[in-house]
Amino acid sequence: MANETNNFAELISHCKEYGYIFQSSEIYDGLAAVYDYGQNGAQLKKNIRDYWWKSMTQMHDNIVGIDAAIFMHPTTWKASGHVDNFSDPMIDNKDSNKRYRVDHLIEGFADEQSAAGNGQLAEEVLKSMDALLAKDDYAGLKKLIEDNKMKCSISKTCNWTEVRQFNLMFSTEFGAVASDNPDDNKVYLRPETAQGIFVNFLNVQKTGRMKIPFGIAQTGKAFRNEIVARQFIFRMREFEQMEMQFFIRPGSQMEWYNFWKNERKKWHESIGIPAEKLRFHDHVKLAHYADAALDIEFEFPFGWKELEGIHSRTDFDLKQHQEYSKKKMQYFDNDIDPVTNKPYGNYIPYVVETSVGLDRLFLTIISLSYAEEKWNKEDGTEDSRVVLKIPAKIAPTKLAILPLVKKDGLPEIARQLMDECKSSFMCFYEEKDAIGKRYRRMDAIGTPFCVTIDHQTKEDNTVTIRYRDTMVQERIALSDVKKLVLEKIS
Ligand code: ATP
């Protein structure tokens, strides 16, 4: 497992070496906090996304999925509060001009203190930070930073500016018409996918004849001009979210909030994350739209951090869109209220949101899967391998088909097996190099099953199947290969 900080650098270079993640525009020295997914990474990402999509939409008969555009009418972001509120307190070091998000600077200090054995100080500092952030007390935050002599990592000085707000939305110009006022053509790159769901709430409700409670799910890109982008794909400026807004009756939000809190934790366990590596963290400072919020945190190689947010967003967003668009966002509920014995009638629904970052989930899976293993062979010499133990159901390639030699009719049998399997799951064919070397390459890529076609196959129609995690090999009928792999990945 890579849950040791010193393995994190190796994990990052492994991701590059085996076609999982490349720095964006690397030949031009890259672009900070933007990454490209390679041939294996794109497939793993797609498998995770598909798993989420299927469990949200196919496995819940009251959740449907949409795909809204990244560009939205600029008033959307005024209504949602992002133009005025989507900002983080930041502070600049006057000597290095390096800008920090205040919470990151303080959390970094707390991590250092914990590592140095000053756990109590770390806890006190974090507690004070939470309280000051909750009150938007910027002078207090600056004092906390100065009193604890928190230093800039570059200049190593404590020479700080005032704490200020910094809006995280990217903007660009829309259309070809030039205007003297740049704000006329200004559009934003969406900082969350949720608003595409809110503005389509009635379209989906009416055309899908949806009855409350129901959900709308969506996956897609989001963009944030993060001040401090760090820790590989954990915090990016362009990333992908998988969000679901669950529309409910006002007053029932705590019931659904608790339901989705537990449901989403169970889902993370179902994808292969051990329960002890997940925990809940309740928010002290609530976002402008929420009446309850928590994070599902995962123990990343660099500590416990947010993987998914569960937010009770009240009727804030729909109400705001109703006000700004002057279009009714109401739902007529003809179910009978047992208290009044009358239909519930017209109301603006409340919303509970589940919002998980696809890239963060990718990092979770890959950091759990990465292992450097060493063992003694029977002859007493040491052997080793680097393996990605990605759960078979989401592994990019499921089966490697390897003829032992490039002759004697073995490639033909292997090609036939490829043709039989490739429409059902992702296969990989390789005939170069010694078989041991090919197994190691498949381990490093995370392919859960390898099948070797050898001379015995020609005699009795059996093959050797090798299991990635245990390295156990067994002989099975050639005709059983597809069935066995399908069973293991379903
Ligand atoms: P953080 O506190 O880490 O900045 P957040 O609370 O702003 O995250 P949300 O707005 O709740 O995040 O977004 C929902 C999810 O989107 C997060 O749980 C995370 O998985 C993902 N996410 C948010 N910002 C980023 C980012 N910059 N890079 C990658 N994933 C992100």
Side-chain angles (χ1 to χ4, degrees):
M1 296 236 170
N3 53 350
E4 291 165 22
T5 315
N6 56 4
N7 264 4
F8 193 47
E10 273 94 71
L11 172 67
I12 295 172
S13 55
H14 188 88
C15 282
K16 181 176 174 199
E17 196 179 336
Y18 289 94
Y20 273 88
I21 297 170
F22 308 126
Q23 213 184 353
S24 158
S25 25
E26 193 189 352
I27 57 166
Y28 297 105
D29 296 333
L31 186 64
V34 186
Y35 290 90
D36 297 339
Y37 286 82
Q39 65 280 17
N40 291 315
Q43 187 63 46
L44 174 58
K45 197 173 168 196
K46 179 182 181 310
N47 293 351
I48 299 172
R49 188 194 298 111
D50 288 351
Y51 184 70
W52 181 89
W53 183 264
K54 183 173 174 187
S55 59
M56 277 295 172
T57 60
Q58 197 170 321
M59 305 304 285
H60 290 100
D61 55 13
N62 59 349
I63 301 181
V64 291
I66 64 164
D67 183 13
I70 287 172
F71 289 131
M72 302 185 69
H73 193 285
T75 310
T76 309
W77 305 109
K78 193 81 198 134
S80 69
H82 283 81
V83 171
D84 297 324
N85 293 316
F86 193 58
S87 48
D88 280 326
M90 53 105 189
I91 192 164
D92 291 12
N93 182 273
K94 288 188 200 163
D95 298 319
S96 66
N97 289 330
K98 187 170 162 60
R99 178 165 292 169
Y100 290 84
R101 235 173 87 170
V102 165
D103 55 339
H104 290 169
L105 179 68
I106 299 174
E107 278 167 9
F109 172 81
D111 286 347
E112 279 167 25
Q113 294 303 317
S114 292
N118 303 329
Q120 203 187 336
L121 174 64
E123 236 173 72
E124 279 166 19
V125 163
L126 289 177
K127 222 168 138 198
S128 310
M129 175 186 81
D130 280 344
L132 293 164
L133 281 173
K135 288 188 287 181
D136 288 329
D137 183 349
Y138 299 143
L141 285 163
K142 186 177 181 199
K143 190 165 179 312
L144 183 69
I145 290 167
E146 286 176 342
D147 287 354
N148 286 282
K149 303 200 170 39
M150 296 183 200
K151 292 195 176 77
C152 164
S153 60
I154 295 174
S155 68
K156 313 283 181 214
T157 68
C158 309
N159 193 8
W160 298 108
T161 61
E162 296 305 307
V163 173
R164 277 172 294 163
Q165 288 285 25
F166 178 79
N167 195 295
L168 302 182
M169 278 200 294
F170 283 103
S171 65
T172 186
E173 277 173 47
F174 208 61
V177 185
S179 160
D180 291 340
N181 181 0
D183 278 353
D184 288 352
N185 298 334
K186 191 167 174 178
V187 288
Y188 297 98
L189 295 182
R190 66 181 177 197
E192 61 173 27
T193 56
Q195 297 305 323
I197 295 179
F198 289 123
V199 299
N200 279 298
F201 157 70
L202 276 186
N203 284 338
V204 174
Q205 190 272 317
K206 287 189 173 140
T207 55
R209 297 154 53 86
M210 308 300 291
K211 266 182 76 85
I212 269 179
F214 72 92
I216 305 179
Q218 168 165 233
T219 71
K221 287 279 175 120
F223 303 83
R224 295 182 188 178
N225 198 3
E226 299 282 3
I227 301 161
V228 184
R230 52 179 186 174
Q231 287 147 345
F232 197 30
I233 56 168
F234 179 81
R235 188 172 302 287
M236 299 156 90
R237 296 204 164 100
E238 172 180 342
F239 58 100
E240 196 164 333
Q241 288 185 315
M242 305 193 288
E243 297 199 301
M244 194 276 299
Q245 312 293 322
F246 201 67
F247 298 90
I248 54 175
R249 250 173 227 146
S252 65
Q253 64 268 33
M254 285 326 288
E255 179 194 324
W256 287 111
Y257 176 72
N258 286 321
F259 172 84
W260 282 110
K261 162 181 168 179
N262 296 318
E263 197 70 7
R264 291 302 303 151
K265 183 158 178 287
K266 275 192 263 166
W267 183 87
H268 287 294
E269 290 167 26
S270 81
I271 204 171
I273 307 176
E276 67 275 13
K277 293 247 163 207
L278 294 165
R279 71 178 189 195
F280 295 122
H281 169 77
D282 291 318
H283 285 203
V284 179
K285 178 174 165 59
L286 294 173
H288 58 276
Y289 50 74
D291 72 351
L294 63 87
D295 299 334
I296 299 177
E297 293 187 337
F298 169 71
E299 193 178 12
F300 284 95
F302 38 82
W304 287 96
K305 301 272 174 207
E306 171 176 348
L307 171 61
E308 170 153 10
I310 312 290
H311 309 127
S312 171
R313 290 181 82 127
T314 67
D315 56 359
F316 175 85
D317 301 85
L318 290 179
K319 224 180 188 165
Q320 288 289 104
H321 289 307
Q322 173 167 291
E323 191 182 321
Y324 278 76
S325 68
K326 310 276 178 263
K327 309 269 164 36
K328 282 251 177 290
M329 288 287 166
Q330 288 191 344
Y331 169 85
F332 183 76
D333 190 340
N334 52 16
D335 279 2
I336 301 297
D337 179 347
V339 179
T340 62
N341 235 356
K342 289 187 189 140
Y344 284 97
N346 266 319
Y347 56 80
I348 297 181
Y350 269 43
V351 171
V352 170
E353 163 185 80
T354 71
S355 173
V356 60
L358 177 50
D359 312 87
R360 278 193 196 174
L361 195 50
F362 185 110
L363 183 57
T364 301
I365 301 287
I366 208 110
S367 57
L368 276 172
S369 305
Y370 181 83
E372 294 169 6
E373 293 180 345
K374 278 199 180 88
W375 66 94
N376 285 325
K377 291 194 289 191
E378 270 169 22
D379 64 4
T381 57
E382 203 178 68
D383 208 348
S384 67
R385 66 170 182 166
V386 176
V387 54
L388 288 180
K389 294 182 173 174
I390 302 171
K393 63 182 166 195
I394 51 169
T397 302
K398 312 297 185 198
L399 176 68
I401 301 176
L402 315 170
L404 188 63
V405 289
K406 240 192 288 182
K407 54 184 185 186
D408 304 336
L410 303 188
E412 286 73 13
I413 303 175
R415 286 282 177 201
Q416 255 177 19
L417 182 61
M418 274 294 280
D419 287 344
E420 186 195 335
C421 295
K422 70 184 181 194
S423 62
S424 303
F425 45 81
M426 199 61 93
C427 304
F428 180 80
Y429 177 88
E430 194 173 44
E431 52 186 29
K432 262 216 315 264
D433 290 333
I435 195 71
K437 224 171 172 183
R438 282 184 265 170
Y439 283 157
R440 284 291 183 279
R441 248 190 329 256
M442 286 302 111
D443 286 344
I445 287 169
T447 306
F449 311 104
C450 290
V451 154
T452 304
I453 319 287
D454 56 17
H455 292 92
Q456 195 185 327
T457 313
K458 283 173 54 178
E459 285 161 25
D460 62 6
N461 277 318
T462 63
V463 293
T464 300
I465 186 159
R466 176 189 181 268
Y467 299 95
R468 178 197 63 199
D469 296 353
T470 56
M471 292 190 276
V472 165
Q473 302 185 16
E474 60 179 347
R475 207 82 204 167
I476 61 164
L478 177 62
S479 56
D480 284 346
V481 171
K482 181 176 172 185
K483 195 173 80 190
L484 183 143
V485 174
L486 278 175
E487 263 169 32
K488 301 268 184 201
I489 63 176
S490 65

